[in-house]
Amino acid sequence: MKQITSASGRPANEHTDGDEIDLGNLLQTLWRGKLWIALCGFVALCLGGFYAYGIAVPVYTAKSAVALESRQEQVMDIESVVTGLGGDQSTINTEVEVLRSRGLIETLVLDLDLLDDPEFNSSLQPSPRFSIGMIVGAIRGIFGAQEPSSVVSERATLDRTINAVLGALSVSNLRQSFVFELTATTQDPTKSALIANRLAELYIENQISVKFEKTEAATAWLSERVSGLQIELESAQAELKNFSTNTDLINADALAALNRQVKDLRDRRLMLAAQADATGSNLERLRKAAEAGDPAAFAEVAQDTLLDQALSRIEEGQEGGLEAFSLRREALIAQAELETARAQSQLAAIEASIADVTSRIDNQSQELVTLEQLQREVEASRLLYEAFLSRLKETSIQQGIQQADSRLLSRAVVPPAPSAPQKKRVLALSLILGLIVGAAAVLFREMAQNTFRTPEDLEAKTGYSVIGQIPKISVKARRNVLEYFTRKPNSAAAESVRNLRTSLLLANIDTPPKVIMSTSSVPGEGKTTQSIALAQNFAGLGAKVLLIEGDLRRRVLSEYFSHTHPHGFLSVMAGDISLKDAIVYDEGLNADILYGQKSRVNAADLFSSNTFREFIQDLRNYYDYIIIDSPPVLVVPDARVLGQLADAIIYSVQWDSVTHRQVLDGLKSLESVNLTPSGLILSQIDRNKLKRYGYGDSYKAYSRYYIN
């Protein structure tokens, strides 16, 4: 069997790549659903208009501006207790939060009596006639549950009011500036302006109040500290005075003179020590020389003129010379002893003087250090006291010249028109949203659609060409189908069948198919109707046509014809009757019909037999075209067996009914036994639904050729 290629020239077994998004197909899908999209847009536009003009409560927006002062006025050259605000982003963000602080908003609520305003105090609003809370309460009452008592405190009411006011306020900083914009949105234009202006004023007053409180606290602390420092200064002065009174103090110059004196005494002590050593050594030499008894040696040591004269007299032998020498020797020794004693006495005296002066220097040094320390403590206490006292006076002066870090740049004016709802914008957004929802719904429906509505989709999913598109035939009973084709030969259904016939004949002009099998995936897809219509069309060409009922289980041909057929082709195969006696000729069909009949043998086994193969071969000799109406592929295996004997297989797919998986599984079952359908038929197309789905445009150009 030759496979018919698709309109694009693609082989029937080639599948398209579903990973790419076809933009043209997407736009076509949206165009097909344009009515639904327009309907969604219209509905959304109506809802938006109803909200904007009927439900929405108009609100009014007023704006005031506060400028942060980056340059502070300096009345006096006195450092402030609280410095001015900086201009960095952190300071600006902090001030934005200060403007939105609950403390400031609470002051605003109390100042403007917003607790008595139903717009912000929900407890003053009238209770709704119908609410979910009422339903819940009623249900709890039915089941006997006690409703908990809800007593709202004044603080809770105030907190709710503050939350409501915060919701109506917004604070923003204008880019690259120190300006804060305060926006108030309420249902009353005057109230909006009043809230915006009062919040700005309270913010400025709060800055002054904070500075005043800080300065007052600093003044109190400084006063307490100055009093303490004064007491400390007086105590230090009293201690210094007491020390100066009870101590014999000298000044630093006198202490320096004592140091010079002790230095001189030490120098003299060195001289006296050397003198004492010299006299002691001389005395020791004289004594040793005297003890030796040698006058000459003693005279050499003594070095005395009188002694030398006495020695000369001794040497000359003069009388009295030795006595004179002895007397002089004793005198010299006595003199040396006297000098030695005097030198040691002077050394002892000078050492005593040095010790006394050194002691005086040590005592005076310690007392001078203590005196200087007390003087420094007094001076430090005096300086600290004077500094705090000066700062106290400066702070006291600042209490009267405090100024805010911000100023009111522009006051809010009463808005002449409501800021919301912006009706034109609401309508435009509603329309756009409706169109988007409509487009999304169309695309979602297209994505969720699991059936076949167009031949292009069927070809793309299966890889087989669609050779026929049969519309749905509007008849009440199956017996009227043949009458419909006979009575309306120019109808869309009749023309579709003729197109199907032409496609089958032109598929292979040299060897046109003689045995044509019609099948489908599941029952009810219109394959029997197409078999009957195709048999009538072939008979209209003057050909000899036989319609065989291949579905031995259901045998639905009797619902289309009112023939009496006690025997079927099984009786012919068994030899019970002749083919001529089993065939039923129908004048409306203008062709022969060979009905099926009930059999104890399985139909698939029967069709697989050589007897049935020979039976079909014999029928080829008598008829030009043999059309076999076979069972569905997914129900029983009969179609896969009958397909081995057919020259062409047409596969019916019911429009917008059978799923993709069913069709693909049916085709796969035929391919598993090496059967390739000659083409697919999209059957029972509902043109009314086709138009609602947006596919009806392609049929408008051809409708004038059809007579229904």
Side-chain angles (χ1 to χ4, degrees):
M1 290 175 290
K2 182 176 180 181
Q3 178 186 343
I4 300 176
T5 58
S6 63
S8 61
R10 174 181 53 81
N13 59 354
E14 181 182 345
H15 294 269
T16 59
D17 187 3
D19 295 336
E20 298 181 358
I21 297 177
D22 190 350
L23 185 59
N25 189 20
L26 180 64
L27 295 177
Q28 289 179 1
T29 301
L30 294 176
W31 178 252
R32 288 195 301 266
K34 57 184 178 295
L35 295 179
W36 288 104
I37 296 176
L39 178 61
C40 291
F42 177 75
V43 172
L45 183 64
C46 293
L47 293 176
F50 177 70
Y51 168 77
Y53 291 93
I55 297 179
V57 178
V59 293
Y60 300 84
T61 300
K63 295 182 180 180
S64 62
V66 175
L68 187 66
E69 291 288 357
S70 59
R71 294 175 297 180
Q72 293 290 328
E73 179 182 357
Q74 192 75 17
V75 179
M76 297 182 64
D77 189 14
I78 298 176
E79 183 181 358
S80 300
V81 175
V82 181
T83 60
L85 296 175
D88 58 340
Q89 190 61 41
S90 300
T91 301
I92 293 175
N93 294 339
T94 302
E95 292 307 302
V96 170
E97 295 303 320
V98 170
L99 281 165
R100 290 182 51 84
S101 62
R102 295 185 66 86
L104 194 62
I105 302 303
E106 180 177 349
T107 305
L108 176 68
V109 170
L110 298 177
D111 186 71
L112 297 181
D113 294 330
L114 297 182
L115 282 172
D116 299 331
D117 192 340
E119 182 179 355
F120 299 111
N121 191 351
S122 58
S123 61
L124 300 179
Q125 298 176 359
S127 301
R129 297 182 179 179
F130 178 80
S131 65
I132 298 178
M134 296 174 62
I135 298 177
V136 173
I139 295 175
R140 293 175 63 90
I142 293 175
F143 290 97
Q146 296 294 330
E147 191 73 21
S149 58
S150 57
V151 178
V152 181
S153 63
E154 295 181 359
R155 185 65 215 183
T157 302
L158 179 59
D159 289 338
R160 286 204 302 265
T161 305
I162 293 173
N163 293 335
V165 175
L166 279 172
L169 287 172
S170 66
V171 181
S172 61
N173 169 241
L174 299 183
R175 293 178 61 87
Q176 305 299 326
S177 71
F178 297 137
V179 177
F180 302 108
E181 198 172 61
L182 314 180
T183 304
T185 303
T186 67
Q187 299 174 7
D188 186 355
T190 305
K191 188 196 312 180
S192 298
L194 181 62
I195 290 176
N197 289 327
R198 188 54 185 156
L199 179 60
E201 294 170 356
L202 289 175
Y203 171 65
I204 295 174
E205 293 174 2
N206 180 69
Q207 287 184 339
I208 298 176
S209 176
V210 168
K211 284 192 173 183
F212 184 80
E213 291 175 0
K214 296 294 183 182
T215 305
E216 187 177 12
T219 302
W221 181 80
L222 286 173
S223 299
E224 181 180 356
R225 187 60 182 151
V226 165
S227 299
L229 290 174
Q230 183 178 4
I231 295 174
E232 292 178 5
L233 176 60
E234 292 175 353
S235 299
Q237 289 176 341
E239 186 177 357
L240 176 61
K241 183 178 180 181
N242 183 48
F243 181 80
S244 300
T245 303
N246 298 328
T247 305
D248 295 332
L249 293 176
I250 60 174
N251 53 27
D253 295 336
L255 185 61
L258 288 176
N259 286 325
R260 289 194 299 269
Q261 181 181 358
V262 77
K263 182 178 180 182
D264 294 340
L265 291 174
R266 286 173 180 169
D267 292 339
R268 290 181 60 193
R269 182 184 62 178
L270 293 176
M271 295 174 58
L272 292 174
Q275 185 178 358
D277 291 340
T279 56
S281 299
N282 186 37
L283 177 62
E284 187 66 23
R285 287 196 304 271
L286 291 176
R287 286 178 176 175
K288 287 182 178 181
E291 291 176 358
D294 185 3
F298 184 84
E300 184 180 357
V301 173
Q303 297 291 325
D304 183 69
T305 303
L306 295 178
L307 189 61
D308 291 337
Q309 293 175 1
L311 181 61
S312 297
R313 289 174 64 186
I314 293 174
E315 291 178 353
E316 292 176 358
Q318 295 180 8
E319 187 178 355
L322 182 59
E323 184 178 359
F325 181 82
S326 299
L327 291 175
R328 188 58 182 170
R329 182 182 57 190
E330 296 296 331
L332 289 174
I333 292 174
Q335 183 181 359
E337 289 177 351
L338 180 61
E339 290 177 356
T340 300
R342 183 170 57 250
Q344 290 179 351
S345 175
Q346 290 177 353
L347 180 61
I350 199 68
E351 287 180 353
S353 298
I354 291 174
D356 179 62
V357 174
T358 301
S359 176
R360 289 172 57 195
I361 289 175
D362 292 339
N363 293 333
Q364 293 295 332
S365 297
Q366 292 179 359
E367 292 177 354
L368 183 60
V369 169
T370 304
L371 176 63
E372 291 177 348
Q373 182 177 358
L374 292 175
Q375 290 175 345
R376 286 194 297 270
E377 290 180 358
V378 170
E379 185 64 20
S381 299
R382 179 182 294 107
L383 293 176
L384 192 59
Y385 169 74
E386 291 176 353
F388 272 79
L389 182 60
S390 176
R391 187 57 179 163
L392 173 61
K393 293 180 179 180
E394 292 176 357
T395 306
S396 301
I397 295 173
Q398 289 181 13
Q399 290 184 349
I401 58 173
Q402 293 295 342
Q403 57 181 346
D405 295 318
S406 303
R407 61 185 175 89
L408 184 60
L409 187 63
S410 63
R411 298 183 65 84
V413 297
V414 178
S419 59
Q422 299 182 6
K423 299 179 180 180
K424 293 182 180 179
R425 181 178 296 181
V426 170
L427 294 178
L429 292 178
S430 300
L431 178 60
I432 294 173
L433 181 61
L435 294 177
I436 293 175
V437 171
V442 169
L443 294 177
F444 180 76
R445 184 188 65 180
E446 189 70 17
M447 293 174 58
Q449 191 261 335
N450 195 28
T451 58
F452 295 100
R453 293 176 181 169
T454 63
E456 294 81 8
D457 189 20
L458 182 57
E459 289 180 350
K461 289 292 192 301
T462 61
Y464 291 95
S465 299
V466 176
I467 60 176
Q469 302 179 53
I470 312 299
K472 185 177 182 180
I473 302 174
S474 301
V475 293
K476 295 182 179 180
R478 291 181 174 180
R479 294 182 183 274
N480 300 330
V481 171
L482 188 59
E483 180 184 356
Y484 177 86
F485 284 108
T486 303
R487 184 166 48 85
K488 297 181 178 182
N490 294 323
S491 63
E495 291 294 343
S496 300
V497 175
R498 277 192 283 273
N499 288 333
L500 173 62
R501 179 197 66 190
T502 302
S503 299
L504 288 173
L505 292 178
L506 295 180
N508 193 342
I509 299 178
D510 296 332
T511 56
K514 295 191 68 174
V515 179
I516 303 171
M517 185 186 77
S518 176
T519 186
S520 63
S521 302
V522 294
E525 295 192 62
K527 58 180 180 56
T528 302
T529 301
Q530 294 159 21
S531 299
I532 295 173
L534 192 60
Q536 185 187 41
N537 267 269
F538 277 118
L541 297 177
K544 192 173 183 180
V545 182
L546 174 64
L547 176 62
I548 299 178
E549 185 177 26
D551 192 349
L552 302 182
R553 292 172 176 80
R554 295 187 65 191
R555 301 193 303 279
V556 296
L557 279 182
S558 58
E559 299 179 10
Y560 290 86
F561 303 99
S562 57
H563 302 143
T564 302
H565 53 285
H567 301 286
F569 66 85
L570 296 182
S571 299
V572 178
M573 292 175 58
D576 296 337
I577 59 173
S578 63
L579 178 63
K580 182 179 179 180
D581 294 334
I583 289 176
V584 177
Y585 177 78
D586 186 85
E587 295 181 356
L589 185 64
N590 196 21
D592 293 338
I593 302 174
L594 193 56
Y595 287 96
Q597 63 185 95
K598 189 175 181 180
S599 174
R600 296 180 180 178
V601 182
N602 184 271
D605 297 338
L606 178 64
F607 295 146
S608 301
S609 64
N610 292 328
T611 303
F612 184 77
R613 184 182 298 273
E614 294 173 357
F615 174 70
I616 295 298
Q617 190 63 36
D618 292 339
L619 292 177
R620 288 175 179 268
N621 299 326
Y622 289 99
Y623 293 95
D624 297 323
Y625 299 101
I626 301 172
I627 299 175
I628 302 176
D629 180 26
S630 69
V633 175
L634 297 180
V635 179
V636 291
D638 300 2
R640 291 185 288 173
V641 178
L642 289 172
Q644 306 294 332
L645 306 176
D647 299 330
I649 299 175
I650 55 177
Y651 198 96
S652 297
V653 177
Q654 185 177 358
W655 179 85
D656 198 25
S657 177
V658 65
T659 64
H660 295 172
R661 176 51 54 193
Q662 290 174 327
V663 174
L664 294 176
D665 288 346
L667 294 174
K668 185 177 181 180
S669 66
L670 292 178
E671 294 172 353
S672 66
V673 293
N674 298 322
L675 293 178
T676 303
S678 301
L680 306 180
I681 300 173
L682 196 60
S683 63
Q684 299 186 29
I685 300 175
D686 192 334
R687 286 186 292 176
N688 294 327
K689 290 184 178 181
L690 199 65
K691 292 178 181 179
R692 290 201 298 269
Y693 291 153
Y695 299 97
D697 294 342
S698 59
Y699 292 90
K700 291 181 180 179
Y702 309 102
S703 60
R704 57 184 177 180
Y705 291 97
Y706 302 145
I707 301 175
N708 294 325

